[in-house]
């Protein structure tokens, strides 16, 4: 029973991350090139593309690290094409979604090491890192939402809000 619960939890964590990436895809497809790659006057150097590239490279570091069991989020490629080209970003998002859907190592909560600058590799787990990726993505979505609003675009008020914050606000509104 416990293995089944663990498998379900892992599947949910993978699906949550895929949901965020699909939201990112929808944002990229809903804006123009200038909005994607330029900073609003009042928010330089924030750019939608820059935040999105950062998010995607964290996912790549995670997925690449599963092969060796050692994840290094500082080993990002910092691919400027992804932050300057909606087409490149779209391709990268779709690629990462496919990898999340097909990587078998995600289905069990294996131990991994995560590089922590001068401390070397500290112990973690696949499940914990999926949760880290989810939180990290939401954090940058909040910055993307702020950037889009500064560009004068309407943004769904829930975009970039942590699920726990949304639940808290819903309970507060219901009370």
């Amino acid at each position: 029973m416990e293995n089944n619960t663990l498998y379900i939890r892992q599947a949910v964590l993978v699906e949550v991350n895929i949901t965020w990436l699909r939201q990112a895809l929808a944002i990229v497809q809903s804006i123009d090139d200038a909005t994607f790659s330029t900073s609003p006057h009042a928010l330089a150097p924030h750019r939608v593309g820059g935040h999105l590239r950062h998010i995607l490279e964290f996912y790549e570091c995670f997925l690449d690290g599963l092969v060796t069991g050692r994840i290094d989020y500082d080993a990002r490629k910092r691919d400027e094409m992804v932050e300057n080209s909606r087409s490149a970003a779209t391709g990268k998002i779709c690629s990462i979604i496919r990898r999340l859907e097909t990587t078998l190592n995600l289905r069990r909560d294996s131990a991994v090491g995560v590089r922590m600058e001068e401390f070397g590799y500290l112990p973690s787990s696949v499940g914990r890192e999926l949760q880290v990726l989810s939180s990290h993505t939401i954090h940058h979505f909040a910055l993307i939402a702020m950037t889009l609003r500064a560009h004068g675009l309407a943004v769904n008020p829930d975009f970039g809000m942590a699920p726990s914050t949304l639940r808290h606000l819903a309970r507060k509104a219901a009370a």
Side-chain angles (χ1 to χ4, degrees):
M1 181 66 157
E2 186 170 316
N3 280 345
N4 193 37
T5 302
L6 197 58
Y7 180 83
I8 292 168
R9 183 181 72 204
Q10 290 295 116
V12 168
L13 286 168
V14 170
E15 282 306 313
V16 164
N17 281 280
I18 289 171
T19 297
W20 301 149
L21 291 170
R22 286 188 178 129
Q23 284 184 11
L25 190 58
I27 290 288
V28 170
Q29 293 171 340
S30 73
I31 61 177
D32 61 27
D33 292 334
T35 303
F36 182 77
S37 62
T38 62
S39 299
H41 176 66
L43 286 178
H46 291 279
R47 293 177 318 284
V48 171
H51 286 292
L52 185 58
R53 177 203 45 81
H54 179 78
I55 291 166
L56 297 175
E57 289 181 349
F58 263 64
Y59 280 101
E60 284 185 310
C61 289
F62 167 72
L63 290 162
D64 293 346
L66 289 179
V67 175
T68 61
R70 302 182 87 161
I71 299 166
D72 182 354
Y73 294 115
D74 291 336
R76 297 185 308 279
K77 294 176 180 105
R78 293 171 171 84
D79 184 351
E80 291 184 16
M81 282 297 294
V82 173
E83 74 179 78
N84 292 312
S85 165
R86 289 185 313 125
S87 176
T90 296
K92 185 68 71 178
I93 294 167
C94 292
S95 171
I96 292 170
I97 289 172
R98 276 192 303 280
R99 288 180 73 186
L100 287 170
E101 290 172 335
T102 60
T103 301
L104 296 177
N105 293 359
L106 296 176
R107 304 301 178 230
R108 51 184 158 62
D109 197 19
S110 306
V112 293
V114 177
R115 185 173 175 277
M116 298 297 293
E117 296 174 11
E118 70 271 2
F119 298 109
Y121 286 87
L122 298 178
S124 188
S125 70
V126 170
R128 176 69 187 119
E129 294 310 305
L130 284 166
Q131 180 58 46
V132 166
L133 287 168
S134 177
S135 295
H136 179 257
T137 299
I138 291 295
H139 163 73
H140 280 278
F141 277 5
L143 296 170
I144 289 171
M146 176 185 71
T147 304
L148 290 170
R149 288 181 185 111
H151 272 298
L153 299 175
V155 179
N156 182 321
D158 292 349
F159 182 74
M161 295 277 278
S164 60
T165 301
L166 293 172
R167 286 190 300 274
H168 169 75
L169 294 173
R171 283 191 302 270
K172 195 172 169 182

